[in-house]
Amino acid sequence: GAVVSQHPSRVICKSGTSVKIECRSLDFQATTMFWYRQFPKQSLMLMATSNEGSKATYEQGVEKDKFLINHASLTLSTLTVTSAHPEDSSFYICSTPGQTNTGELFFGEGSRLTVL
Amino acid sequence: GENVEQHPSTLSVQEGDSAVIKCTYSDSASNYFPWYKQELGKRPQLIIDIRSNVGEKKDQRIAVTLNKTAKHFSLHITETQPEDSAVYFCAASIGGNTPLVFGKGTRLSVIA
């Protein structure tokens, strides 16, 4: 399979600050990265899809100016939560199809964001 | 777009009994159906998957069945153990480099 490393695993920030979450593909080139959000006791909801070298596409209801996604290289995709508020507190997790093209997704470890 | 419904939302079974979780999907183009186990604070872990050209797949105590006509698939866990307690998610996609759409999850509790 593919290995995806996600950092930080946990972050606590004050309301109004920005937080960057990084996902690195360690043993393959990740052309595509899916970013999911999971609120407590809920399911994983797709936020956006990023493709290396192009703009991310966002799901309906997700503010692209608030959740900035950068996929400037084949091994790194980042999600920046700008001007975070308590309602942004969630578990953010990246995933990629890797190189298998079978439909299977490989997940990062996830990042627990708490906004005070 | 795809919509995945999952039932039940919670399930309690006695250790050694079987557990069954069911999902339905809406998009007939979907052809990849994985099941994930997620423990608190951890990433989802793939436990089994099935593709639309197969009706059933088994891996030790875990099995998945797929009915393409009815657009539903099920997870079966036999001889449940306390360590099977977790949240289980079904998902669906059209395969390739496309995202998964997840069900709402089932919290399984195995009582010793």
Side-chain angles (χ1 to χ4, degrees):
Chain A
V3 179
V4 180
S5 177
Q6 183 172 347
H7 296 280
S9 58
R10 295 181 183 182
V11 56
I12 301 173
C13 70
K14 292 182 179 180
S15 185
T17 60
S18 295
V19 173
K20 179 185 282 189
I21 299 169
E22 295 186 346
C23 276
R24 295 183 183 273
S25 55
L26 301 184
D27 55 355
F28 67 100
Q29 295 179 327
T31 306
T32 301
M33 194 72 76
F34 302 118
W35 286 92
Y36 287 87
R37 177 170 56 184
Q38 186 178 30
F39 290 111
K41 298 186 178 181
Q42 294 189 23
S43 186
L44 288 84
M45 298 297 295
L46 181 67
M47 297 176 65
T49 300
S50 73
N51 291 291
E52 187 268 336
S54 60
K55 289 184 178 180
T57 56
Y58 291 79
E59 296 300 299
Q60 190 174 7
V62 178
E63 301 174 54
K64 62 181 176 65
D65 294 329
K66 180 172 181 62
F67 299 98
L68 302 179
I69 291 174
N70 185 287
H71 196 154
S73 79
L74 289 171
T75 58
L76 175 64
S77 178
T78 62
L79 167 67
T80 301
V81 183
T82 63
S83 187
H85 287 91
E87 57 265 31
D88 298 323
S89 298
S90 188
F91 188 63
Y92 293 86
I93 189 164
C94 61
S95 66
T96 180
Q99 294 177 315
T100 63
N101 200 33
T102 60
E104 182 177 359
L105 294 187
F106 300 92
F107 287 87
E109 296 95 328
S111 299
R112 169 76 57 194
L113 170 63
T114 301
V115 185
L116 302 177
Chain B
E2 177 64 275
N3 182 49
V4 178
E5 298 285 341
Q6 182 171 348
H7 299 280
S9 57
T10 61
L11 179 61
S12 291
V13 299
Q14 292 290 328
E15 181 178 1
D17 288 350
S18 296
V20 180
I21 303 171
K22 298 182 178 181
C23 287
T24 60
Y25 63 99
S26 61
D27 189 348
S28 57
S30 289
N31 59 18
Y32 177 63
F33 308 94
W35 285 89
Y36 288 88
K37 175 183 181 182
Q38 187 180 33
E39 297 178 344
L40 190 63
K42 301 287 183 63
R43 66 181 135 190
Q45 176 191 359
L46 178 68
I47 57 172
I48 196 167
D49 57 13
I50 193 167
R51 301 182 189 280
S52 59
N53 58 346
V54 175
E56 183 174 356
K57 185 176 178 181
K58 189 174 181 180
D59 182 5
Q60 299 182 344
R61 296 187 297 110
I62 296 173
V64 57
T65 58
L66 171 65
N67 184 326
K68 282 184 59 180
T69 303
K71 295 199 192 74
H72 65 71
F73 55 114
S74 301
L75 177 71
H76 304 252
I77 306 174
T78 59
E79 301 172 29
T80 54
Q81 302 166 1
E83 50 266 37
D84 294 329
S85 296
V87 179
Y88 291 80
F89 291 97
C90 62
S93 81
I94 60 174
N97 290 343
T98 62
L100 289 168
V101 176
F102 288 85
K104 292 190 182 301
T106 297
R107 180 170 299 277
L108 173 65
S109 299
V110 180
I111 304 166

